[in-house]
């Protein structure tokens, strides 16, 4: 049963306020912020290249904007999870595993993007992949036990 603020009774303040949980959420927020900063750098590079007449593709525009948007959503979900929203925690777990795979897999398709773009996107993937290790660790999983 969830309460009005979408927290579960099992994931109450005792688990969320545990120092290990707080440290894990602090690391998660920092890693997601790095993911966002790197994604902003990729988009900024695309903008600068376009403004200086260098070739950029619609894929590069869409991909860099999409990764930046995913970073913003992931950070928002992380904040909600740190306040006890189990549904947000589960989404952060999924995003942190799926995004690195999606970023790397698409960038490895020959001819889709130039090497500089793939390399910059790979740095984003590393930051969000590191998040997966933190959010799937025993400390945060203990704060959000299964409800069924």
């Amino acid at each position: 049963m969830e309460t009005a603020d979408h927290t579960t009774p099992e994931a109450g303040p005792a688990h969320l306020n545990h120092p290990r949980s707080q440290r894990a959420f602090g690391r998660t927020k920092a890693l997601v912020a790095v993911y966002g900063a790197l994604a902003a750098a990729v988009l900024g590079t695309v903008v600068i290249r376009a403004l200086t007449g260098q070739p950029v593709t619609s894929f590069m525009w869409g991909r860099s904007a999409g990764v930046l948007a995913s970073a913003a959503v992931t950070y928002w979900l992380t904040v909600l999870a740190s306040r006890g929203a189990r549904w947000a925690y589960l989404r952060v777990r999924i995003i942190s595993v799926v995004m690195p795979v999606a970023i790397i897999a698409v960038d490895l398709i020959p001819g889709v993007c130039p090497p500089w773009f793939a390399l910059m996107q790979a740095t984003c993937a590393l930051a969000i992949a590191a998040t997966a290790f933190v959010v799937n660790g025993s400390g945060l999983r203990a704060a959000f036990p299964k409800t069924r």
Side-chain angles (χ1 to χ4, degrees):
M1 177 177 93
E2 291 191 352
T3 60
D5 64 353
H6 302 290
T7 60
T8 60
E10 297 84 7
H15 292 294
L16 290 173
N17 291 328
H18 190 280
R20 185 169 53 168
S21 297
Q22 289 303 306
R23 280 191 306 274
F25 274 121
R27 281 191 300 271
T28 301
K29 288 176 186 175
L31 286 167
V32 173
V34 168
Y35 172 55
L38 291 169
V42 175
L43 182 57
T45 302
V46 170
V47 168
I48 290 168
R49 289 179 64 90
L51 291 174
T52 58
Q54 297 178 42
V56 293
T57 64
S58 58
F59 170 81
M60 292 161 57
W61 281 105
R63 179 61 174 265
S64 55
V67 171
L68 181 57
S70 79
V73 169
T74 305
Y75 193 86
W76 172 69
L77 291 169
T78 301
V79 169
L80 293 177
S82 72
R83 295 177 185 164
R86 186 175 195 283
W87 64 270
Y89 167 70
L90 294 174
R91 282 156 182 81
V92 172
R93 285 182 69 185
I94 292 166
I95 290 167
S96 68
V97 172
V98 171
M99 282 305 293
V101 174
I103 290 169
I104 299 297
V106 172
D107 288 347
L108 288 177
I109 298 171
V112 169
C113 58
W116 68 265
F117 185 81
L119 185 60
M120 289 186 80
Q121 289 277 294
T123 60
C124 293
L126 289 174
I128 195 67
T131 304
F133 289 99
V134 178
V135 297
N136 288 295
S138 61
L140 287 183
R141 280 188 289 115
F144 294 97
K146 291 184 180 180
T147 56
R148 295 181 193 199

